[in-house]
Amino acid sequence: RPKVRLPRFLRQRYVTQVGSKINLTIPFTGKPKPVVTWTKDGQPLDTKRVNIRNSDRDSILFIRTTERDDSGVYEMCVKVDDFEDKATLTLQIVELPGPPASVKIIDTWGFNVALEWTPPKDSGNTDIKGYTVQKADKKTGDWFNVLEHYNRLNATISDLIMGNTYKFRVFSENKCGLSEEAAITKGEAVILKTDIDYKPPKYQEHDFTEAPKFTTALSDRATTVGYSTKLLCSVRGEPKPKVQWMKNQMILGDDPKYRQICVQGICSLEIRKPGNYDGGVYSCKAKNKHGEAIVACKLEVKQAAIPEAGKEKK
């Protein structure tokens, strides 16, 4: 008699993201070779969207690029003469949610603001796990998180700064992540100043500009033909200096043999699988509008030692 051997992980809801590939193999038994049919939500499959490949022992359900509409209950039926067996599997194709439908400022008092919002119209075909609330000061316009993974539809934002004007926005979150857009409050919350007249002291701003200076110089190196090596140095300067590597006073440019990286003042030059001709004097120049600095080192590339031929163990 025919029997479908539905894998354990398909006995529960199978969840994947929009745009992913689905390739599910469902084994079965039966002699002679059973006739395999598939339906989705009780209707025949759309062969333009879903491909079915059948063999003597299993059936493969394949979707190259999933869409939300591919969600549903799929039923596989194997039949031998008058005997048949069926198995169902549920696909849930999910994506990022939409933003909350609306968000508004309910009240403002002291250093506090009360917000309220409504759930998104599009949940991304899965449950909403929470919300992320951000605030922005009107002076700077920079957004900062004040609540993350928050599950309620209202919140009180505290510890706001006196004299500032704030806007707020809310993102929805499901298992795929945060919504690409946010719901933003139409109005603004003004945190009123008290009657205290405070005059902050004036401080002279420090001048941090500085010509480039190497804090760690290059060291002479020796390497073997075919073994990649790396030259390191560190530099500081303000504004950030432009770094240029040279070999024998010739600029290296974008030669793929060399990998040039400069992160937070640490400059490195990786020479990939050097040959005999890669030896020489390497230098690193740092330059900004206040000046320039340069350090150099010598790289020696040695030939790998070859064991003498003709010597055999007795």
Side-chain angles (χ1 to χ4, degrees):
R1 293 189 179 187
K3 179 67 176 177
V4 179
R5 308 288 183 183
L6 190 66
R8 183 180 297 274
F9 75 96
L10 291 176
R11 296 174 189 173
Q12 297 178 338
R13 187 181 299 267
Y14 184 85
V15 182
T16 188
Q17 292 190 26
V18 167
S20 62
K21 179 174 71 174
I22 288 181
N23 192 358
L24 303 176
T25 302
I26 295 91
F28 59 81
T29 57
K31 289 184 180 181
K33 180 182 177 181
V35 177
V36 181
T37 56
W38 282 84
T39 60
K40 176 193 172 189
D41 298 328
Q43 300 297 322
L45 291 182
D46 181 1
T47 54
K48 295 180 180 179
R49 296 281 319 136
V50 184
N51 292 323
I52 300 296
R53 303 170 191 165
N54 298 321
S55 69
D56 294 341
R57 294 179 297 175
D58 55 41
S59 181
I60 299 175
L61 184 145
F62 178 77
I63 303 176
R64 186 176 299 279
T65 306
T66 56
E67 297 178 358
R68 284 270 291 270
D69 291 341
D70 294 324
S71 303
V73 178
Y74 291 75
E75 184 178 74
M76 173 184 170
C77 176
V78 290
K79 188 173 184 180
V80 176
D81 296 333
D82 294 331
F83 302 102
E84 67 177 19
D85 189 27
K86 295 181 179 181
T88 59
L89 57 101
T90 303
L91 297 186
Q92 183 177 352
I93 315 301
V94 301
E95 61 182 340
L96 293 175
S102 65
V103 58
K104 55 185 177 180
I105 298 172
I106 301 300
D107 193 12
T108 303
W109 72 98
F111 303 105
N112 311 290
V113 170
L115 299 177
E116 187 175 276
W117 58 91
T118 53
K121 295 179 181 178
D122 181 8
S123 65
N125 202 29
T126 185
D127 296 334
I128 297 296
K129 293 174 61 177
Y131 300 91
T132 293
V133 182
Q134 295 183 339
K135 68 178 180 181
D137 178 13
K138 189 176 180 180
K139 295 178 182 177
T140 64
D142 297 330
W143 292 96
F144 297 94
N145 288 357
V146 289
L147 294 172
E148 295 180 278
H149 315 303
Y150 187 75
N151 293 316
R152 299 171 63 183
L153 295 174
N154 53 67
T156 299
I157 312 301
S158 305
D159 300 325
L160 300 175
I161 298 175
M162 178 179 64
N164 286 1
T165 300
Y166 291 93
K167 295 193 76 171
F168 300 88
R169 67 182 183 184
V170 183
F171 292 88
S172 309
E173 181 181 8
N174 64 11
K175 67 193 312 173
C176 296
L178 292 179
S179 57
E180 294 180 348
E181 299 179 356
I184 304 178
T185 54
K186 292 183 179 179
E188 298 174 337
V190 180
I191 309 303
L192 298 175
K193 292 183 178 180
T194 59
D195 294 335
I196 300 175
D197 187 14
Y198 172 70
K199 293 182 179 181
K202 293 183 179 180
Y203 296 99
Q204 185 175 0
E205 189 172 344
H206 182 70
D207 184 11
F208 289 97
T209 58
E210 179 185 12
K213 179 181 178 182
F214 282 93
T215 54
T216 304
L218 292 170
S219 300
D220 291 344
R221 297 290 299 273
T223 187
T224 306
V225 171
Y227 289 84
S228 298
T229 189
K230 187 179 287 187
L231 306 178
L232 289 169
C233 60
S234 61
V235 66
R236 73 183 188 193
E238 182 64 35
K240 181 181 178 181
K242 183 180 179 181
V243 174
Q244 197 173 58
W245 285 91
M246 294 175 288
K247 175 191 173 186
N248 298 332
Q249 298 184 351
M250 298 291 290
I251 298 172
L252 296 181
D254 296 329
D255 190 334
K257 185 175 185 67
Y258 304 98
R259 188 181 182 207
Q260 306 174 38
I261 299 176
C262 188
V263 180
Q264 295 183 346
I266 307 299
C267 305
S268 67
L269 174 69
E270 182 182 353
I271 306 168
R272 297 170 172 168
K273 296 184 178 180
N276 293 320
Y277 54 85
D278 285 315
V281 176
Y282 287 83
S283 54
C284 181
K285 180 191 285 187
K287 183 177 181 181
N288 66 11
K289 63 182 181 180
H290 298 289
E292 64 179 50
I294 189 168
V295 289
C297 71
K298 184 177 181 182
L299 176 66
E300 182 182 357
V301 182
K302 300 178 180 180
Q303 189 66 37
I306 302 176
E308 295 182 17
K311 289 187 178 181
E312 299 179 355
K313 292 184 180 180
K314 293 183 180 181

